[in-house]
Amino acid sequence: MNEQSPKPSTTTVVLRVLTSTVIAIIATYIILVAILLISVRNDLALPGERFLSQIAPGEVEEEVEEEVDVFDLDSWSTEELVAQILFVMTPSDDTVGFYILARQGIGSIVLSGGNPADDMAEELEYAQHQAPRGIRMLVSSDEEGGEVAYLSKLISGPLPSPPEIATWSSDQIRDATRAYGEKLANLGSHLVLAPALDLTVPGAHMAELDRTFSGDPTKVSEVGIAWMNGMHDAGMSVVLKHWPGIGSAPDTHNTATTIAPLETLEQADLLPFDILIDEGAEMVM
C-alpha cells in the first residue's frame, strides 16, 4: 500500500505564494526599468550622435542650402523671429540643452557655469546641425581671465586675472588674447562676454574679485583696446561690461545699488566704454 505525501501546511502554502508573487514583481520591475533606460537613452542621451548617424557627411549643409532661403522673412513665423533675438543661458555641461535650444531656433546661447565635458565642442557641433533654416546659434561665454573664464578647463594656457594682464605690454596682451580667442573659436564659441571695463575701487566687490584692470580710465582703455584687438585677430567678437561702470558698486547679484550722477560717470567710468566703442567693440552689457 502506497503512502501519501503529507499535505503542506497552510503556512507553507502562503509562503510559497508570497515568494512567487515577490519574484514576479521584481522581474517585472527589472524589465520595466530596462525598457525605460533604453527609451531615455534613445531619446536624450546622445541626440547629436543619433542625428548624425542618419545622414552622410556633408548632407546637412547641402540640405539646408536647398530647402530654405533664410532672407525670406515673410516665410518666418512670429515664434521663429522671437527665438532668434533671445540670449539663453545654459550650463556648459548641459549638452542635451544645446540640442533642445538649437531645435527651438534660439538665436544665441551663453555658456554659463557648469563643468564643460572634454567633448563639449563635438556635442555643440552636433546641436548646431539641428538649427532650423541652417542658422547656427551664436555661442558666447564669460572669459575675462582669472576666476571668470568658464571654458578655460578646455584651454591650455588660460588667461590670468585682469590685474595681472594690466601689468603686461599692449603687444603681450594682444598676443595672449588672440591665442586664447583662437582656442575658443575651435570650441565653437563666437563671442566673449568681456573685457570688463569697470574701474578698480579698493574694497569694492569687483576689485575684491580681481576682475578690474585699473582705477585709471586711461589705463583701462589702453588695456581694453589691446585685449579686444587680440580677440578680433582671432575672429571673436566682444561684449564690453558692465555699463555704465559698477566698479564702486556692491555685489549687484544680491542687492540693489545706485551709481554716480551722469556728469561724474562721463569724467571717469564711461570713458573706457566710449573709447572702445569707437575702436570697434560690437556689443555692450
Side-chain angles (χ1 to χ4, degrees):
M1 184 174 179
N2 295 329
E3 294 183 359
Q4 293 183 348
S5 300
K7 184 178 180 179
S9 67
T10 301
T11 301
T12 301
V13 172
V14 171
L15 288 175
R16 287 177 180 175
V17 172
L18 288 176
T19 301
S20 299
T21 302
V22 170
I23 292 174
I25 292 173
I26 293 174
T28 302
Y29 176 77
I30 292 174
I31 292 171
L32 290 175
V33 169
I35 292 172
L36 179 60
L37 289 175
I38 292 172
S39 174
V40 170
R41 185 188 186 283
N42 287 339
D43 289 341
L44 295 176
L46 294 173
E49 183 177 309
R50 288 193 300 105
F51 173 72
L52 291 184
S53 68
Q54 301 170 10
I55 59 176
E59 184 177 332
V60 174
E61 292 79 2
E62 294 175 3
E63 180 180 332
V64 167
E65 291 176 1
E66 292 175 0
E67 289 187 355
V68 299
D69 177 3
V70 297
F71 298 107
D72 180 17
L73 295 185
D74 290 337
S75 69
W76 289 57
S77 69
T78 301
E79 291 77 10
E80 287 178 309
L81 293 171
V82 170
Q84 278 294 301
I85 64 174
L86 295 180
F87 257 88
V88 178
M89 300 183 73
T90 182
S92 59
D93 55 358
D94 185 8
T95 54
V96 173
F98 302 163
Y99 177 84
I100 294 172
L101 293 172
R103 285 292 300 270
Q104 294 298 315
I106 298 300
S108 306
I109 61 173
V110 181
L111 304 178
S112 180
N115 184 26
D118 292 339
D119 63 347
M120 186 205 75
E122 181 181 6
E123 291 290 348
L124 185 57
E125 178 65 17
Y126 291 158
Q128 293 282 32
H129 284 297
Q130 293 292 290
R133 300 177 180 270
I135 301 178
R136 292 176 166 237
M137 299 181 294
L138 179 70
V139 180
S140 61
S141 179
D142 273 317
E143 302 296 331
E144 299 171 15
E147 294 297 318
V148 183
Y150 291 136
L151 299 183
S152 61
K153 172 193 170 184
L154 304 179
I155 297 176
S156 58
L159 293 173
S161 67
E164 183 176 346
I165 291 175
T167 65
W168 296 353
S169 70
S170 293
D171 288 342
Q172 287 176 308
I173 297 169
R174 185 167 184 166
D175 288 344
T177 55
R178 174 191 52 76
Y180 193 83
E182 289 174 348
K183 294 172 182 177
L184 286 172
N186 288 335
L187 292 175
S189 180
H190 313 101
L191 177 70
V192 287
L193 306 184
L197 301 182
D198 306 302
L199 302 184
T200 303
V201 177
H205 180 68
M206 291 290 287
E208 289 182 342
L209 295 179
D210 285 338
R211 295 179 61 188
T212 54
F213 292 129
S214 171
D216 178 3
T218 301
K219 178 66 174 179
V220 172
S221 301
E222 292 173 352
V223 175
I225 289 172
W227 199 103
M228 177 179 70
N229 286 340
M231 286 294 174
H232 283 173
D233 292 343
M236 301 291 292
S237 298
V238 303
V239 178
L240 310 180
K241 60 185 187 184
H242 304 80
W243 193 91
I246 60 172
S248 60
D251 183 358
T252 54
H253 296 93
N254 299 320
T255 184
T257 188
T258 58
I259 57 174
L262 178 60
E263 295 78 11
T264 302
L265 293 174
E266 288 176 334
Q267 299 301 315
D269 300 77
L270 290 177
L271 291 177
F273 291 93
D274 293 342
I275 291 172
L276 266 75
I277 289 171
D278 287 342
E279 290 292 327
E282 291 84 0
M283 300 176 68
V284 177
M285 182 189 296

